[in-house]
Amino acid sequence: MKAYYHLPGLFEFYDLYRAFLPLYRKHREYFYDWCEIASIYGAPADCLWGGGRAGCGDAEPEAAALTREYGVSARLTFSNSLLREEHLSDRKCNALCALFEKSGPVPNGVILCSDLLLSFLQTNYPGFYFVSSTTKVLTDFAQFEAELDRGEFRYVVPDFRLNKDFDRLHALSERQKRKLEFLCNECCWFDCPDRKACYENVSRKNLGEDCPDHICVSPDADRGYRFSDAMNNPGFIGIEDIQKTYLPDGFTNFKIEGRSLGSAIVLEFLLYYMTRPEYQLKVREEIYLDSMLDLF
């Protein structure tokens, strides 16, 4: 069985993927043979339907052309949880749907939280498949299992705090396991009581509401995202976990977060999760390493 990765930054890191995808195709020997790129997800700047993280970047036609050329599914992150009927007519979001609905050799998808938006997209853009967003914060296993049983969704991303609930995960049916998509590298405080409120704050900002920033109460909030911290998170899924635990049990889909980070750290994710250690320097050199580069 192979691991299928869903990578961050369709628009946000377009320049990174414009360099990485040709390298991935030309030098497949640099990368583990037990994994593939299944999709790249994201949302452009000022995207009303966006949620989870604020979008950035504006390479809409270019991103559509890039994923089409390399046969990778593009996913629009439209996970705003607070949409109302009047928001469904937004011109930019509808134009994005029209552009991406039928733009590639493999189906493109939409990650969403709102059932109102789901119904609208099913009616108006039936060419998409749909992903239930982690922004629903499904930490109750019974609710999560009910979400897996919804026929509207091809994939369901639970809250990362369910990642190691092995007894109940093992008991899922094969059909349910195929739909489950784990969020691997979350750095959020495992005991955070405000995760849903944090996502709702992003939704309000994307709707243009004047609201204060969400104040993170994590003990290490001032450190920001660090991959080394994420690796120590109880919900972290590393490559050995994928190979030795998840794949043998029938789980094949893994989401890498990182849209709100920089392209350098996203490259580190690509190196860690996909690249054979002996070729990691070669990939760095091809992507960004300049012999005259000064970091400070």
Side-chain angles (χ1 to χ4, degrees):
M1 298 182 71
K2 286 196 174 185
Y4 295 96
Y5 286 127
H6 305 274
L7 304 178
L10 175 62
F11 307 99
E12 297 89 339
F13 305 123
Y14 166 76
D15 288 333
L16 171 62
Y17 290 116
R18 185 176 60 177
F20 182 78
L21 289 178
L23 183 66
Y24 179 73
R25 174 181 284 179
K26 182 178 180 181
H27 292 287
R28 193 62 180 84
E29 73 276 10
Y30 291 178
F31 305 95
Y32 296 123
D33 58 7
W34 51 263
C35 65
E36 298 280 355
I37 300 173
S39 76
I40 306 174
Y41 66 91
D46 303 319
C47 200
L48 196 71
W49 296 352
R53 297 287 184 268
C56 60
D58 57 1
E60 290 98 332
E62 295 87 349
L66 185 69
T67 52
R68 180 172 59 246
E69 179 180 356
Y70 288 94
V72 174
S73 178
R75 290 183 176 179
L76 300 173
T77 305
F78 286 162
S79 53
N80 195 307
S81 62
L82 303 176
L83 296 175
R84 300 185 296 274
E85 192 75 35
E86 61 265 28
H87 298 135
L88 300 180
S89 60
D90 181 77
R91 292 179 63 184
K92 180 171 185 175
C93 294
N94 278 279
L96 279 168
C97 287
L99 174 63
F100 279 90
E101 184 191 14
K102 300 175 181 177
S103 67
V106 296
N108 291 334
V110 178
I111 305 169
L112 42 73
C113 182
S114 165
D115 280 347
L116 176 68
L117 181 60
L118 173 62
S119 179
F120 175 80
L121 294 175
Q122 285 177 310
T123 300
N124 294 279
Y125 303 100
F128 285 123
Y129 67 85
F130 301 105
V131 182
S132 177
S133 173
T134 191
T135 60
K136 293 182 179 180
V137 191
L138 298 175
T139 56
D140 178 86
F141 202 91
Q143 291 181 344
F144 163 61
E145 193 167 2
E147 193 80 357
L148 284 173
D149 289 335
R150 293 181 61 177
E152 308 97 303
F153 296 118
R154 180 178 294 188
Y155 302 100
V156 177
V157 186
D159 189 88
F160 73 104
R161 286 166 287 199
L162 294 183
N163 284 0
K164 302 295 178 73
D165 195 346
F166 291 123
D167 288 343
R168 289 190 288 188
L169 290 170
H170 177 73
L172 294 173
S173 69
E174 292 304 312
R175 179 187 58 80
Q176 290 172 321
K177 289 179 179 181
R178 287 194 297 270
K179 292 180 67 173
L180 201 161
E181 185 177 313
F182 290 99
L183 181 58
C184 294
N185 60 328
E186 178 58 67
C187 192
C188 184
W189 183 28
F190 196 80
D191 297 318
C192 178
D194 298 328
R195 190 165 171 82
K196 195 160 190 174
C198 179
Y199 285 138
E200 287 182 353
N201 184 260
V202 176
S203 292
R204 293 186 190 281
K205 289 183 177 297
N206 283 339
L207 292 176
E209 296 183 13
D210 186 13
C211 58
D213 291 337
H214 175 76
I215 305 299
C216 180
V217 298
S218 167
D220 298 319
D222 59 334
R223 288 169 59 86
Y225 186 98
R226 296 194 180 188
F227 195 21
S228 57
D229 289 344
M231 288 180 169
N232 291 321
N233 191 301
F236 178 74
I237 298 176
I239 56 173
E240 286 193 8
D241 299 314
I242 292 172
Q243 290 179 284
K244 296 180 180 179
T245 301
Y246 291 90
L247 288 179
D249 205 13
F251 299 104
T252 58
N253 287 282
F254 302 90
K255 180 175 183 177
I256 310 301
E257 78 158 19
R259 289 196 300 134
S260 61
L261 305 174
S263 59
I265 189 65
V266 173
L267 176 59
E268 291 303 313
F269 300 155
L270 300 176
L271 294 170
Y272 171 78
Y273 280 104
M274 300 186 64
T275 311
R276 298 178 189 272
E278 63 269 28
Y279 292 112
Q280 289 182 2
L281 180 57
K282 284 183 175 290
V283 174
R284 281 195 186 92
E285 288 175 334
E286 291 289 340
I287 299 299
Y288 77 85
L289 193 58
D290 184 332
S291 62
M292 299 300 292
L293 177 67
D294 291 319
L295 294 179
F296 301 101

